[in-house]
Amino acid sequence: MPTEQQTLEPLPPTPRTHGVEALFSHGRLVTIPRKEARREQLLVHLADTLFERERSYTEREVNEALLTVHEDCSALRRYLVVAGLLVRPRDGSSYRRGR
């Protein structure tokens, strides 16, 4: 039994606690998570790392940025818009960082 002066070793990461880096291999996204909470973590990471605030992007620029991590850029783009992390006008002419 540990005393007050001893420290316990941290538990190894579990699928629920490890970071989004576990979803990547060699800089590429292995799969888009099915679980909503895990997918939300990924989307926040992508928005933070791929898109600058206060900058407008064309759809092509968004696709090119997303293609650097996964081949299904349209699914990722759609998830980012639905999550409010990217916003666009009704005509889809541009994208900007959301929340």
Side-chain angles (χ1 to χ4, degrees):
M1 186 161 187
T3 65
E4 288 181 39
Q5 295 176 345
Q6 292 176 324
T7 58
L8 296 174
E9 298 264 338
L11 294 173
T14 64
R16 292 177 186 238
T17 61
H18 58 63
V20 294
E21 60 274 357
L23 299 172
F24 290 83
S25 176
H26 305 289
R28 300 281 297 165
L29 180 61
V30 176
T31 186
I32 300 171
R34 290 183 184 174
K35 292 187 178 182
E36 190 174 334
R38 191 71 170 136
R39 189 170 53 235
E40 174 77 11
Q41 288 178 326
L42 169 68
L43 296 174
V44 168
H45 171 76
L46 293 176
D48 287 345
T49 57
L50 297 177
F51 304 103
E52 299 173 26
R53 293 195 182 276
E54 308 304 320
R55 178 170 174 228
S56 183
Y57 293 88
T58 65
E59 184 171 322
R60 183 178 188 162
E61 289 173 316
V62 171
N63 290 345
E64 288 172 355
L66 294 171
L67 282 170
T68 66
V69 295
H70 196 268
E71 64 276 357
D72 195 351
C73 63
S74 59
L76 289 174
R77 187 184 66 242
R78 184 173 52 253
Y79 285 134
L80 286 163
V81 169
V82 168
L85 293 163
L86 286 181
V87 293
R88 64 180 177 198
R90 286 180 77 81
D91 66 2
S93 60
S94 65
Y95 293 79
R96 295 182 72 79
R97 277 289 305 270
R99 59 180 177 97

